[in-house]
Amino acid sequence: MSTPSPATSSATSPATSPATLVASDLDRTLIYSAAALQLQLPDAEAPRLLCVEVYESKPLSYLTESAAGLLADLARRTVFVPTTTRTREQYFRIHLPGPEPRFAICANGGHLLVDGVSDPDWQRQVAARLADECASLDEVRAHLLRTADESWLLKERIAEDLFAYLVVERALLPDGWVKELGEWAQARGWTVSLQGRKIYAVPKPLTKSAAVREVARRAGTELTLAAGDSLLDADLLLAADRAWRPGHGELADTGWTAGNLTALPRRGVAAGEEILREFLRAAGHGQAA
């Protein structure tokens, strides 16, 4: 593991390494597209928003200004680890407030970034697990293309040569298609997740939790906190000492719960702000809202 620069060290700890690791999903957990904001206040009372992602010269993702301040504080006081299913290229479009995270997890655990660079040892470990424990990406991709219909399929993508996803017209998606795909994938060691207009097919050995455990080992942290909204976050939430999910998303829609989980009622961008307050309180740095 490379040694952090003095600037990075001072940004994350005043004297010693923080004892708490915070691993959080990004999209629809901490940051939100315009379509996912779910602002439920009159326009005049809506919170001020900070854009944290621009794509093709257009603003794409936001958090509230209050959340931005909380996140910057959290990143200074803990080992904050963005933990996303996004590819590295998609992740690098995001500019979060606060010090740059030393560690980040992309491609659902396929890439462990250390100071912005994917760790080659981790890549080799992931490749070995995928080869031994599940069907190949080629087999799964062929099945997706064979069973999808052009009347509702908008795009098909491969992410980092690790997993596949479809972009679909949700209203035209046949009832039962995702369930049938999930049953087919389950028998081959893969997981299916429906998030908005995207249907993800991800190998079961490719998990956020495995990568977070590796970060905790390297950082020497004692407590792990986590948050997420989708089925692909479930393993991460289960592996944490304490975890939170918002009142929207795949996990909320199915009523998913666990003994270490707090299910928050708030939805949309307000939930992201609440999650950050919960992180700070649990890490011993927060105050009552």
Side-chain angles (χ1 to χ4, degrees), residues 110-129:
H111 287 280
L112 195 168
L113 305 186
V114 183
D115 296 326
V117 178
S118 184
D119 185 90
D121 289 337
W122 182 252
Q123 288 184 49
R124 284 190 286 270
Q125 291 180 46
V126 168
R129 287 201 300 272

Side-chain angles (χ1 to χ4, degrees), residues 57-280:
S57 301
K58 297 178 181 178
L60 193 62
S61 298
Y62 306 84
L63 41 64
T64 68
E65 286 191 349
S66 294
L70 294 168
L71 180 52
D73 192 24
L74 184 74
R76 286 189 291 266
R77 295 175 179 272
T78 69
V79 178
F80 173 65
V81 185
T83 307
T84 180
T85 305
R86 287 183 177 227
T87 65
R88 287 170 290 174
E89 179 182 0
Q90 293 167 337
Y91 168 70
F92 288 133
R93 295 199 306 248
I94 302 171
H95 299 283
L96 296 173
E100 192 71 23
R102 172 117 200 270
F103 299 100
I105 293 164
C106 295
N108 212 65
H111 287 280
L112 195 168
L113 305 186
V114 183
D115 296 326
V117 178
S118 184
D119 185 90
D121 289 337
W122 182 252
Q123 288 184 49
R124 284 190 286 270
Q125 291 180 46
V126 168
R129 287 201 300 272
L130 297 185
D132 291 342
E133 300 176 26
C134 60
S136 70
L137 174 60
D138 287 344
E139 179 183 348
V140 173
R141 183 187 187 190
H143 181 81
L144 288 173
L145 294 176
R146 185 171 58 250
T147 58
D149 192 286
E150 63 180 12
S151 66
W152 48 263
L153 177 62
L154 302 177
K155 298 177 185 177
E156 180 265 343
R157 294 287 186 268
I158 298 299
E160 302 271 19
D161 290 325
L162 292 169
F163 62 89
Y165 65 92
L166 307 179
V167 181
V168 303
E169 191 65 60
R170 183 77 176 261
L172 300 178
L173 191 63
D175 292 341
W177 190 86
V178 174
K179 180 180 179 181
E180 291 177 6
L181 175 63
E183 292 171 350
W184 181 91
Q186 172 82 14
R188 289 158 180 81
W190 285 63
T191 296
V192 171
S193 175
L194 175 61
Q195 301 180 39
R197 296 195 307 158
K198 292 182 179 179
I199 301 171
Y200 290 90
V202 178
K204 286 184 180 180
L206 192 67
T207 64
K208 294 179 177 181
S209 60
V212 167
R213 281 192 290 269
E214 177 64 11
V215 173
R217 184 187 70 81
R218 297 186 188 197
T221 52
E222 301 169 0
L223 177 72
T224 297
L225 311 176
D229 71 294
S230 81
L231 179 61
L232 295 176
D233 297 314
D235 70 283
L236 170 66
L237 303 184
L238 287 171
D241 295 294
R242 294 187 62 186
W244 293 263
R245 65 162 170 82
H248 61 258
E250 198 176 17
L251 297 179
D253 291 346
T254 58
W256 187 88
T257 190
N260 65 333
L261 178 77
T262 299
L264 301 173
R266 289 189 181 175
R267 302 169 60 87
V269 70
E273 188 174 316
E274 185 176 10
I275 286 168
L276 288 165
R277 294 186 190 279
E278 292 290 341
F279 280 152
L280 282 164

